Amino acid sequence: MKQELNKKIIYKLVFILLSATSGCASTSTIVDEFVKYNNDPKALRVIAQICIPNKTAYFDTLNVDVTDLPANLSRLQIQKLFQDAVAYKAGEGFTNSYRSDSTNREYQTARLWRKPVNSSDFPRSWIVATHVNNVKGNMSETGVTGGYLNDSTEKNQPVFFGNLSHRPEDILAVMVMPPGEGSGGLRKFWFKLPKEISKNKYTPWMSSLSEEDRENQLGRAPIFMLLAHEKPMPLYEVKDRENAPKVRYSLMTMDEYDKYSQYGRRAMNAAQLQFMVGNPSDNEPKHYVPAKRESIPPC
């Protein structure tokens, strides 16, 4: 509930701030309409998968005992268990009141992302991605909800999953920024949505239309600023197109997105809790993903 309230406040602030110079007289009405859309569990919104062609991600399959984490626990109850586990790592006691003494144990599958060891491995479990929106004349830039490493392609290329939380017609462009490498610094890759996006079916992998880097930014306005002022996107050269990030899109309702996001969550939570309690002195973050649910084509 608190998270949803914060979302409403953020959306209102973004619209009000960015439309303050647009001369739009109906900002309040548009904001209310968008908040209504955003809270409609049946409304379609754009979701995306992001792939990095020249990087790899590997996962170890785990057979997780989920018996002590009942399927009917609420998010608040699970959150409390994690809070207790964090306190345990700090030296306090830990008691799982849902622990079962039954000899009939229940097991589910989760996967653990392997810590990167080679330069070809993607170095972290998340990626920076945003999108620029125009909702009836009100401009905003919004971070992609999620953006976490979720799977890999048939060639073990890392795949990140995110919710763009907008209608296709509202999204002007999508930006993906992989971690910086070498002396070139950070590079921003800009995408346009295809004309047709299907429900519950992904488009083919789409290539970046423009690459924004340190060189082409000297003395020029950032692409976000140009789009926010309803200027066209400059098409800078994508220097290594084959290895540049790729994006593919689909449409889901919020109900479908929640169901997708909760797939395998019980096994992932159980694995995380068991690791935290069993290894209280190990503070290295672990990233769990669900069991493989689909084959993803190479990007």
Side-chain angles (χ1 to χ4, degrees), residues 227-286:
L227 293 172
H229 286 82
E230 302 185 71
K231 304 293 184 182
M233 177 195 295
L235 301 181
Y236 301 131
E237 177 189 3
V238 181
K239 296 175 182 176
D240 186 7
R241 184 172 295 276
E242 182 180 355
N243 293 318
K246 304 292 188 297
V247 182
R248 64 179 191 161
Y249 309 90
S250 184
L251 297 175
M252 284 186 184
T253 66
M254 185 52 75
D255 279 349
E256 291 167 338
Y257 172 75
D258 285 343
K259 183 178 179 181
Y260 185 95
S261 299
Q262 288 304 310
Y263 173 78
R265 182 64 57 187
R266 184 183 177 197
M268 290 188 288
N269 285 338
Q272 182 71 63
L273 277 171
Q274 289 166 20
F275 177 82
M276 292 174 70
V277 175
N279 303 272
S281 61
D282 190 338
N283 293 312
E284 182 180 338
K286 304 293 180 184

Side-chain angles (χ1 to χ4, degrees), residues 7-19 31:
K7 269 189 177 182
K8 293 180 185 179
I9 294 172
I10 290 170
Y11 282 128
K12 288 197 175 187
L13 285 174
V14 166
F15 278 124
I16 291 170
L17 288 173
L18 288 176
S19 61
V31 170

Side-chain angles (χ1 to χ4, degrees), residues 13-289:
L13 285 174
V14 166
F15 278 124
I16 291 170
L17 288 173
L18 288 176
S19 61
T21 59
S22 70
C24 180
S26 56
T27 299
S28 179
T29 300
I30 294 171
V31 170
D32 290 341
E33 287 178 359
F34 185 79
V35 170
K36 181 179 179 181
Y37 155 78
N38 190 62
N39 291 330
D40 182 355
K42 303 299 181 184
L44 289 172
R45 59 207 70 220
V46 179
I47 58 108
Q49 287 184 332
I50 300 167
C51 178
I52 310 298
N54 64 338
K55 295 296 182 181
T56 52
Y58 296 97
F59 304 92
D60 294 318
T61 300
L62 308 176
N63 191 29
V64 184
D65 185 343
V66 298
T67 315
D68 297 334
L69 198 69
N72 60 351
L73 291 186
S74 69
R75 293 186 183 184
L76 287 177
Q77 288 172 316
I78 294 172
Q79 183 180 6
K80 180 63 167 58
L81 279 174
F82 275 101
Q83 290 172 345
D84 291 346
V86 170
Y88 173 73
K89 291 173 72 68
E92 300 180 22
F94 176 79
T95 302
N96 181 358
S97 58
Y98 310 105
R99 188 178 182 279
S100 172
D101 293 326
S102 173
T103 56
N104 296 320
R105 313 301 290 178
E106 182 182 358
Y107 292 86
Q108 293 183 2
T109 300
R111 292 180 295 162
L112 173 63
W113 174 53
R114 291 184 198 169
K115 180 181 177 181
V117 294
N118 301 310
S119 59
S120 61
D121 295 333
F122 197 82
R124 64 192 188 203
S125 60
W126 52 274
I127 197 165
V128 175
T130 65
H131 47 99
V132 180
N133 318 297
N134 182 349
V135 182
K136 297 182 179 180
N138 290 268
M139 313 299 292
S140 66
E141 183 179 32
T142 309
V144 171
T145 302
Y148 52 84
L149 180 65
N150 180 255
D151 212 330
S152 58
T153 70
E154 296 165 359
K155 289 188 175 181
N156 297 313
Q157 298 156 313
V159 175
F160 304 83
F161 178 76
N163 181 358
L164 276 60
S165 304
H166 280 64
R167 299 163 291 202
E169 60 268 27
D170 295 334
I171 300 172
L172 295 178
V174 175
M175 186 278 293
V176 176
M177 186 168 64
E181 295 182 351
S183 60
L186 295 175
R187 302 153 68 201
K188 298 179 181 179
F189 295 89
W190 288 89
F191 300 79
K192 289 281 191 178
L193 268 63
K195 291 183 179 179
E196 294 186 5
I197 304 177
S198 301
K199 185 176 183 292
N200 297 326
K201 179 182 178 182
Y202 281 103
T203 66
W205 289 111
M206 314 293 292
S207 296
S208 171
L209 296 177
S210 187
E211 178 184 338
E212 196 174 20
D213 60 20
R214 184 180 298 170
E215 290 182 13
N216 59 38
Q217 273 303 286
L218 291 175
R220 294 172 174 166
I223 288 179
F224 159 69
M225 191 63 66
L226 293 171
L227 293 172
H229 286 82
E230 302 185 71
K231 304 293 184 182
M233 177 195 295
L235 301 181
Y236 301 131
E237 177 189 3
V238 181
K239 296 175 182 176
D240 186 7
R241 184 172 295 276
E242 182 180 355
N243 293 318
K246 304 292 188 297
V247 182
R248 64 179 191 161
Y249 309 90
S250 184
L251 297 175
M252 284 186 184
T253 66
M254 185 52 75
D255 279 349
E256 291 167 338
Y257 172 75
D258 285 343
K259 183 178 179 181
Y260 185 95
S261 299
Q262 288 304 310
Y263 173 78
R265 182 64 57 187
R266 184 183 177 197
M268 290 188 288
N269 285 338
Q272 182 71 63
L273 277 171
Q274 289 166 20
F275 177 82
M276 292 174 70
V277 175
N279 303 272
S281 61
D282 190 338
N283 293 312
E284 182 180 338
K286 304 293 180 184
H287 182 71
Y288 297 90
V289 303

